[in-house]
Amino acid sequence: MVIVVICIFLARNISRTRVGRAFIAIRDNDLAAEVMGVNLFYYKLLAFFIGCFLAGIAGSLLAHWTGSISTDNFSFMNSILYVGMIIIGGLGTTLGPILGVTLIQLLQVGVTKLTPALQTAFPAMPSGFATGIAPMLFGLVIILFLIFEPRGLAHRWNLFKASYRLWPFSY
């Protein structure tokens, strides 16, 4: 957790610097950023380097936690799960992935607890159907977030904070 807090601290501070403003300008409109004098090649390469650096830290933490690394640790379903966590949490924020991971883990725990109850409530349901509930629910949550909350939970949290800050006087 200490390494996670340090990485989040560094990511938050990078987003407040000149480099972070260049990243935001490139994300919003790379042609306009280039016209304003942002070196696209340098900043895209820097973003790739920072992403690879953080992925290397995550990989080393995974290797330490599991004791070994193999290709079984990196399945296609895990890749989809990670992208879904980022979509649900909110792209372009440091709080978004944390909220996305929290929601997906709570969803997986809820499905794990709910599946035996569904099997006893509906005995005519085939046994294989219960194992497919988790991916179906995960896909449904991603689709609902893409339709109804495309900016993710981090945007909703920022709206909640702003409305709470202005609560007695909403004008």
Side-chain angles (χ1 to χ4, degrees):
M1 286 305 288
V2 172
I3 294 173
V4 171
V5 169
I6 290 170
C7 287
I8 291 171
F9 176 74
L10 290 175
R12 289 285 291 192
N13 283 328
I14 286 174
S15 68
R16 295 178 187 157
T17 62
R18 180 183 201 180
V19 173
R21 289 191 300 271
F23 287 163
I24 292 170
I26 292 170
R27 179 195 66 196
D28 290 344
N29 191 345
D30 59 345
L31 183 61
E34 190 174 24
V35 168
M36 290 190 314
V38 175
N39 186 354
L40 286 183
F41 179 75
Y42 173 76
Y43 284 108
K44 286 185 178 185
L45 193 64
L46 184 63
F48 182 74
F49 170 74
I50 291 170
C52 289
F53 177 74
L54 292 175
I57 291 173
S60 66
L61 289 174
L62 179 68
H64 178 71
W65 182 57
T66 59
S68 66
I69 292 289
S70 69
T71 57
D72 298 335
N73 294 339
F74 307 104
S75 66
F76 182 67
M77 189 60 195
N78 282 347
S79 300
I80 293 173
L81 190 69
Y82 299 148
V83 170
M85 288 175 184
I86 292 171
I87 289 171
I88 289 170
L91 297 166
T93 63
T94 52
L95 180 66
I98 297 168
L99 294 175
V101 167
T102 304
L103 181 78
I104 292 300
Q105 292 300 322
L106 289 174
L107 185 68
Q108 284 182 342
V109 168
V111 167
T112 304
K113 301 285 184 192
L114 188 66
T115 302
L118 283 175
Q119 285 180 336
T120 57
F122 301 107
M125 187 171 53
S127 63
F129 184 76
T131 59
I133 289 176
M136 264 189 338
L137 190 61
F138 176 69
L140 179 68
V141 168
I142 289 177
I143 289 170
L144 290 176
F145 265 91
L146 285 174
I147 292 172
F148 295 114
E149 192 59 56
R151 292 193 227 169
L153 290 174
H155 175 69
R156 185 57 54 188
W157 175 250
N158 288 335
L159 289 178
F160 174 74
K161 283 192 322 186
S163 66
Y164 184 72
R165 204 174 299 132
L166 301 171
W167 172 61
F169 309 108
S170 61
Y171 48 87

